[in-house]
Amino acid sequence: MAHTIKLSDRVAAVKPSLTLGIAAKAKAMRAQGLDVISLSAGEPDFDTPQFIKDSAILALQNGATKYTPETGTPEIKQAVIRKFKRDQGLTFEPEQVVVGCGAKHVIFNVFYAMLNPGDEVIIPSPFWLSYPEMAILCGAKSVLVETTETTGFKLTPSMLEKVITPQSKLLILNSPSNPTGAVYSENELRALIPVLKKNPHVQILSDEIYEKLVFGGIKAVSIASLDSEIAARTIVVNGHSKAYAMTGWRLGYAGIPDKPLAKAVASFQSHSTSNPNSFAQAGGITALDLGDEEAKKMCAVYEKRRDLFIHLLKAIPSLKPFRPEGAFYLFINIAETGMTGLQLADLLLEKAHLAVVPGEPFGSSKHIRVSYATSEKDIEEAVRRMTQWIKQPAARA
Ligand SMILES: Cc1ncc(COP(=O)(O)O)c(C=O)c1O
């Protein structure tokens, strides 16, 4: 009889990613020949712009096939430094920059380098599903702060003040947000600063991965750009995946003002994954220096799709989408359907062959998340199928 391996307590406590689970089920249904539309993707449907690919191909041909320094080549660090200066007005030195295999990797490494059992990580909810799991992996405790449509899914100063304890170590800010698409205005961020200043033991991790995907001419603001004391306590995380349609390249980076922390992250990375892919880094430099025009074009397409999706959903009054100002998700309140997110997601997949993500893994059973990083044709067909299964409860039997 095979011997059962006892898993590590750390990993046994972690939930498998439900979003990946739905995508796998949808894929299996497709493999059976079913016409499944998936609105579950967390990645752009665009291909990486050709000139970015070309610079990686050139680097590969020119021998960029070796290890690089663990936290990125000097050249990509300079490109990251230029980017932070240009877009956020932030100044970093190379030893304060860590480039890793995606923002997810970088966030995990920062958590691992700074969190101890008993430390609390304040996570506004709904949240990107990996933050609490990463905190668990580090033995830390996530403190979820529920936000709703009433505050535009944003944390207010009083909500923040209420949850800070002596154990609070890190506050996560994610603007634009996955899953809600909420974008904090400069004033909303400024309002949090006095509370943070009163609590200097709290560091901030600002996950700005959707920074380039904002609508209506607004700009995504980094809290680090608003105040020098706060900047010194803010780890600014960003990455190539969403802005430049480079999810498969696995490139992300952070500016870490605290040099001992940056050194600890680098040391952890050096003993775990080492450097991000050498030729991906070469393409990543081109993206950071020259990719913004392409990012803008993709963003305009997402904005058009957002408007179309919200417009079409008016036909299903029990679905109340939150109007996002960024990213490429609609977070839809489904409370009036009488179902939970999981129930509705199941129904839509089984009956309508439509893959959506239940709100539960993001911290809400009253919502589903749909991605509009997909064609207008699919959005139209998806709403048609939703109309069939949600608007007419009798048809559900
Ligand atoms: C809020 C947020 N942060 C970080 C990431 C990680 O992105 P990557 O590891 O591809 O850079 C994602 C990806 O879905 C995300 O939605």
Side-chain angles (χ1 to χ4, degrees):
M1 202 176 75
H3 186 75
T4 313
I5 297 172
K6 182 181 181 306
L7 299 177
S8 80
D9 296 338
R10 290 180 307 279
V11 171
V14 165
K15 295 187 213 91
S17 166
L18 234 167
T19 40
L20 297 181
I22 300 255
K25 199 164 165 190
K27 203 170 158 196
M29 286 171 69
R30 265 201 206 110
Q32 290 166 23
L34 296 170
D35 167 29
V36 177
I37 294 182
S38 178
L39 301 179
S40 63
E43 63 181 340
D45 55 324
F46 296 101
D47 196 1
T48 305
Q50 188 59 42
F51 68 95
I52 297 175
K53 289 185 188 174
D54 288 342
S55 56
I57 292 166
L58 189 67
L60 183 56
Q61 282 169 339
N62 288 342
T65 56
K66 308 287 187 209
Y67 292 133
T68 75
E70 285 94 354
T71 53
T73 61
E75 291 78 17
I76 197 167
K77 287 193 176 199
Q78 287 302 330
V80 167
I81 288 168
R82 285 193 292 279
K83 180 258 175 295
F84 277 137
K85 187 87 205 157
R86 184 179 64 227
D87 295 341
Q88 281 75 39
L90 297 172
T91 305
F92 290 104
E93 294 169 26
E95 73 240 58
Q96 295 169 306
V97 171
V98 170
V99 183
C101 310
K104 187 182 260 183
H105 180 223
V106 172
I107 295 168
F108 181 78
N109 290 0
V110 169
F111 274 32
Y112 206 80
M114 74 185 288
L115 295 175
N116 277 311
D119 287 343
E120 294 178 357
V121 182
I122 301 171
I123 305 174
S125 171
F127 45 80
W128 178 49
L129 70 185
S130 291
Y131 302 133
E133 304 302 330
M134 287 182 186
I136 289 170
L137 279 169
C138 298
K141 184 177 159 204
S142 7
V143 176
L144 305 177
V145 193
E146 190 188 343
T147 70
T148 63
E149 285 88 348
T150 317
T151 62
F153 287 118
K154 290 172 217 174
L155 189 65
T156 64
S158 63
M159 288 177 191
L160 175 60
E161 190 142 36
K162 269 194 215 125
V163 294
I164 293 180
T165 73
Q167 286 70 47
S168 305
K169 183 91 178 255
L170 189 61
L171 164 69
I172 308 293
L173 289 176
N174 172 217
S175 172
S177 149
N178 175 8
T180 65
V183 182
Y184 283 74
S185 69
E186 179 175 331
N187 282 342
E188 286 161 344
L189 290 171
R190 278 197 192 282
L192 300 175
I193 291 178
V195 182
L196 291 167
K197 284 197 171 175
K198 250 203 288 182
N199 292 282
H201 62 294
V202 180
Q203 311 299 305
I204 302 116
L205 186 146
S206 180
D207 178 350
E208 303 178 3
I209 192 149
Y210 294 96
E211 172 214 349
K212 301 284 177 197
L213 307 182
V214 282
F215 312 137
I218 62 166
K219 188 176 173 329
V221 178
S222 173
I223 195 166
S225 68
L226 301 179
D227 182 282
S228 58
E229 185 190 321
I230 296 299
R233 289 162 48 194
T234 304
I235 299 141
V236 186
V237 177
N238 209 321
H240 294 66
S241 288
K242 320 287 178 175
Y244 311 113
M246 293 173 68
T247 45
W249 293 58
R250 308 313 300 130
L251 278 179
Y253 53 90
I256 306 176
D258 186 83
K259 287 185 183 172
L261 174 62
K263 205 168 162 192
V265 174
S267 163
F268 173 55
Q269 190 160 308
S270 77
H271 291 299
S272 47
T273 56
S274 281
N275 62 276
N277 175 293
S278 53
F279 43 93
Q281 290 185 63
I285 296 171
T286 304
L288 289 173
D289 284 340
L290 302 169
D292 284 2
E293 276 310 306
E294 288 303 313
K296 253 192 216 144
K297 283 187 212 158
M298 292 188 261
C299 182
V301 176
Y302 295 133
E303 183 166 1
K304 210 166 142 237
R305 292 173 182 167
R306 173 201 65 172
D307 292 342
L308 171 72
F309 213 153
I310 290 184
H311 173 72
L312 294 174
L313 282 173
K314 287 188 182 137
I316 314 175
S318 57
L319 299 189
K320 303 265 187 300
F322 173 75
R323 187 179 168 80
E325 289 189 294
F328 40 62
Y329 309 104
L330 280 190
F331 205 53
I332 304 176
N333 192 314
I334 57 152
E336 287 178 18
T337 66
M339 279 184 273
T340 63
L342 275 166
Q343 287 167 340
L344 185 58
D346 252 357
L347 172 98
L348 289 174
L349 189 55
E350 293 288 328
K351 304 285 190 195
H353 299 165
L354 183 61
V356 305
V357 188
E360 280 83 348
F362 306 107
S364 169
S365 59
K366 294 197 190 87
H367 294 84
I368 56 170
R369 189 196 75 176
V370 293
S371 162
Y372 46 92
T374 190
S375 66
E376 291 192 7
K377 186 171 143 276
D378 275 0
I379 292 171
E380 281 161 4
E381 175 59 16
V383 176
R384 200 189 62 73
R385 294 185 189 185
M386 284 181 178
T387 311
Q388 195 181 354
W389 289 101
I390 299 172
K391 216 177 151 191
Q392 304 160 36
R396 269 186 237 140

